[in-house]
Structure formats: structure tokens, C-alpha cells
Amino acid sequence: MITFGILATSPIAHEWMTAVNATGAYRLGAVYSRTLAKAQAFGEAYGSEVVAYDSLEAFLADPALDLIYIASPNGLHVSHSRLALEAGKHVVVEKPAVLRPAEWAELLSLAKEKKVMLFEAARNVHEKAVALVADFLKDQEILGANLRYGKYSSKMPALLAGELPNVFSAKFGGGALMDLGIYPLYLAHYWFGKPDRVAYQAQKWDWDVDLAGQAQLLYGDCLVTLQTAKNYTTYLPSEIYTRQGTLILDSIEAIGSVRFRDLSGQEQALPVTVASHQMEEEAVAFARMIEAEDWSAWENWAQLAQDVHETIWNLRQDATLVFEGD
Amino acid sequence: MITFGILATSPIAHEWMTAVNATGAYRLGAVYSRTLAKAQAFGEAYGSEVVAYDSLEAFLADPALDLIYIASPNGLHVSHSRLALEAGKHVVVEKPAVLRPAEWAELLSLAKEKKVMLFEAARNVHEKAVALVADFLKDQEILGANLRYGKYSSKMPALLAGELPNVFSAKFGGGALMDLGIYPLYLAHYWFGKPDRVAYQAQKWDWDVDLAGQAQLLYGDCLVTLQTAKNYTTYLPSEIYTRQGTLILDSIEAIGSVRFRDLSGQEQALPVTVASHQMEEEAVAFARMIEAEDWSAWENWAQLAQDVHETIWNLRQDATLVFEGD
């Protein structure tokens, strides 16, 4: 059983609670909020023995906590992760964990020094279906892929009305790539590895952040295309092309079905199972590594995150998407 | 009634016959083949008064013919079109009509000089559904589009076995872009105009022709992506993104359904009708322009073809796809 503390009582923290409660591997030990009443209310909703803190220092020093789940605003992820790691806690930090690969590298080296595990909560890459696809592709020659996640943002009307919601602010590392693009990027890196070259054609707002865009990841002459958008919705499935046929995925951020159509048009469905909660599979994966002290598995995941953040950085350079602090 | 001659008795010439017979606007007057028996057999299949020729000169000099339909191999399209235009005939030439925009410009100027009409048989752009989409988009702000046509070629096994079928030969202007990519390119030019900039990421075979590729057409920062392939099949629909929602097309080379999903997820179907034969709508369009002597409509279509071939040329330059004779 992993006893964990929750840093920040945002809606996603409630989702995390539902997910970890489904795993049976975690116990909520403490909650931190700048407002004690909020921490107390959150804790009470999930158990009578949860300690509430409004002091970050005291919260992180709580010896009962093995792990800190960080759900604070994106701009605070790095500093909160650093503090939690320095306190010797395992860390699960919501994505994007960092805005720059150097920050991830720094956190990683701190985690290694402190002998704790640091995870970016890239939940979709832990879905069983993702491993199933990897296994299916193992002996096939990949010709290319077409992955996407584009969803009209509820904040678009405000943006068009002249406001600047955080999700579209370069100051907070906003835009489509950081928010939604990271989902297909994780899968591309998991399935195909780190690309040789990348390019990003961004549709920008006010020369600042990307509302939509198309990334090209090149592996030799094999092209993986990623589409992302916050100013429109795409309803298209994703596809992976192999010498033997086409693999069709209904989604890349919550895979519900995977079908393979071979060159003759014959179709087979892969035996996809869907977890009871979207965040459950990542929670199980993190618990397994921590409990088994599987440092080698952890380093693989940490390296995957490093590669993803390096690719995001390269894509941003290509499209001249500059965040404050770059 | 337009009396026409058929140049070359290939399978597509039979398709053309079925289509024009459905229109009631055309009459087959003569057939040319290098083998007289072939010309006779083709003519007999469609009427007792069809003249058969094995002399190209005599065929093109036949005063009964108003128009020549050219279905010879791609490599002969330009020279056959030139001869037919010089003989003062209207010309319908199968696509790709030319491999280089300069060739189309030359044919066009010859057609104008001879006061006849020249058409590239880009059949899909004449579908009623295409005009319906244009009309639907008229008052909407376009954010981008994602058009595709990729189909596994029956000649792929031969290519992989070391042969070089014509459809994959740079000598004959082969590859995915010229063969299938021209379909989405025509629609993109019809709906969105000539792009400001283009780029093509090609997956090549032997550094020669493209087996698959992704083209980017930029209109300001509005991105239209075209996917094409002959080494795999894509089953994805196409999409057009507007400020009001997403238009979903089941196909771009034979549109059967068009649905618009607005920002709230409400869906409406456009009243798409499908012709009895895929080539019927182009045949009707060509007949209408010729019979009404609508030179201004014809010049618009001729300019569209010119724009498409200029874009193909620019895409080829970007991907260094060099054909013999470039």
C-alpha cells in the first residue's frame, strides 16, 4: 500500500482519487491546499484519517507520505516536483510536467540522487491497448502513421472575445501541442521511438501560441503525422500503416477499439479492454514499479518522457513557439 | 449532340462510353487504334455507324468529329492532345494530362488559338457534391482541412519483387502524387484556391518516385493537408474545419456523404446525390460548356488545371521528385 499526499485540490485530483481507489494499491494520507478548509473538505470526502495541511513545508515533511501527487497549475509543476523530490518522496506530476526538456532532466537527476521515482502522468500511454498495439506491430514493417487529438476548447469563445485564458497563454505554456499534442506524441515515442527529425506547422494565435497544428515525425523516410487542435474538433480515427495492412484506432487518448485491415481488406479486431477509469492503468503501473522497486522499468518511462519533451522542444523551435522562461 | 472520337481503346475508354451514354449529349463517331481490328471491335460494341481508324492522321482529320477523347498511356497525353488540338478538335484528356505545368500552358494556348476547348478529365471535381460543399463553405471561415486518397496498388507486389511497373516509373511520371494525389489537389484548389506555399514529405522508392506522401498547402496560416499513398490504404474520411464546426466527407474521389458537426456536436447531412456513373458529371459539364460555347466557364476550368499542375510541380521540387524530361 502506497500512502500518498495530494498537492492541490483541482478537479483532476478528484479523478485521480477515483482511479487510485479502483486499484486498491494506494491510501490517501494527506492533502495540501493554500486554504486549510479546502484541504479538509477534500480529505473528508475520501476518508476520516486524512491530514489536512495549508503549509507546503509541513505537508512535504509528513513522514507518513511515500508519494506526492501534484495537480497544481502547470506553471507550478516544476517547482512543486522539485520540492517533493527534495523531501524524498516519489512524485506523480500531471502533464505537462515541464515546459522544457532541461527541466525534466534536472528533476530526473534529483530523483535519482534521492532514490525516489518521478512520473509524468501521461495516462494514455499506460493503457493496456497501447501495449497490445506495440505487440501487434512487433514483427511488422511500419510504413507510417497518422495520429491525432483535436478538440474544440470551451475557452475558445473567450479567446475570440479578446480575453487570454491560461490554456492559450504562452506565459503558462499554453496551446494545442502542450495540452493535447502530448497524447499522440507519447504514443508515437512508445511505438516508434525517438524520431530522427521533426517539423511543426502551427496555426498560431497572435504569433504566440498554437491553436492547431500538424507535426511531422520522421523515422528514416517513414512519416508519422500528428494533428492537434483546440480551435476545432477532429472526428477522425488514427491509423498506423504497415507492409501488411492498416491498423485503425478509434482514439489515441482513450483507445476503445483497434482493428487491423490487411491488404485483402480482411479485418480483425484486437482484444482491447478498457479500464474502469481512464487514470486507473497509469496508477497501477506506477504502484507496480514503486512496490517492486523496479528501477529499470522506471528509468525506461523516465527516458520516454525525456524524449517526448525533447521532441516538443524541437517542434516548438521549428514553429517559433516561445514560452516565457525559454 | 457532340460527335466524338476515341483515341486508344483502353479500359477507361469503355468507362467513358458508359458515362457519356448516360448523358444523352454525345455520339461516338470514330475510334482509333494502332490495330484496326481493335478499333473495329470497340466501335461495334457501341454502334453500327462508328468508323474505325488505324491512321491517327486520318482519324484526326475526320470532319464528323467535334471532340477527341484521349485515353492513351499518360506519356502520350501531351503529344496526342497537341495533334488533336491542331486538327481543330475539342479535347478531353485523361489525367494526368501533363507532367509539367509548362506543357499545360502550351496546350492551352494552342486550344485558344484554334478556338476549341481542352479539358483534363479530373472527374471528381465535377461531382455535384463538390459544388454543394463549396456553397456550404461560402460564408464560413475556413481553419484548415485534411484531405486524402491512399490506396494499396495491385502493382506493389511486382515493385517489391524487383520489377518496375509503369505506375511506379519516374520515366512515365508515376508515383502516388500524380496518380492519386491529383484528386485531393483538385478539390483543394476548387474549394480554397491556389495555396501561398506548399511542401511535400514524400516516402520514396529508390530515390525515384513517391509511394506515399503528405503535402501541406498553406493559405496564410490555414493548413490544408493532403495524404496520398500507393503502398498502403487509408480508410479515414476527409475533414474541413471551419469556425462553426467540422465538415466530414466520406471520400474525396467519389463523395457519397457529407456531414457537418457544429461546435455543440449537432450534426446535419448535406443533400448529396450520386451520379449513375462516376464519369457522368464531368461528361455533362464538358458538353454543357461546348454546346453553350461558354468560354468563360471553360477558361476557369483550364485555369484550375493550370494551378493544380503548378502546385504538383512545386510539390515535386520540394520533395526532389524528378521525372524524365523535367
Side-chain angles (χ1 to χ4, degrees), chain B residues 180-197:
Chain B
L180 304 185
I182 197 168
Y183 287 85
L185 276 171
Y186 254 98
L187 297 201
H189 284 74
Y190 183 82
W191 287 328
F192 314 122
K194 200 178 174 188
D196 305 326
R197 290 190 288 131

Side-chain angles (χ1 to χ4, degrees), chain B residues 2-8 16 30 56 59-62 65-71 80-81 83-85 87-93 117 119:
Chain B
I2 298 164
T3 302
F4 70 99
I6 278 198
L7 197 161
W16 171 258
L56 189 57
F59 168 69
L60 292 175
D62 186 332
L65 304 180
D66 310 314
L67 178 149
I68 305 296
Y69 170 73
I70 298 173
H80 282 161
S81 297
L83 289 173
L85 293 170
K89 311 297 189 189
H90 299 300
V91 167
V92 172
V93 55
M117 294 184 185
F119 299 101

Side-chain angles (χ1 to χ4, degrees), chain A residues 97-116:
Chain A
V98 298
L99 300 185
R100 288 161 279 269
E103 293 165 338
W104 183 258
E106 183 222 317
L107 293 178
L108 217 51
S109 115
L110 180 58
K112 286 177 186 171
E113 184 194 318
K114 295 288 182 177
K115 296 191 172 36
V116 289

Side-chain angles (χ1 to χ4, degrees), chain B residues 123-135 190-191 255 271-275 280-282 284 288:
Chain B
R123 66 167 170 75
N124 69 321
V125 76
H126 296 284
E127 289 176 11
K128 285 207 191 81
V130 173
L132 196 70
V133 167
D135 195 55
Y190 183 82
W191 287 328
I255 298 174
V272 168
T273 54
V274 177
E280 186 182 338
E281 287 158 313
E282 62 168 350
V284 167
R288 192 181 294 139

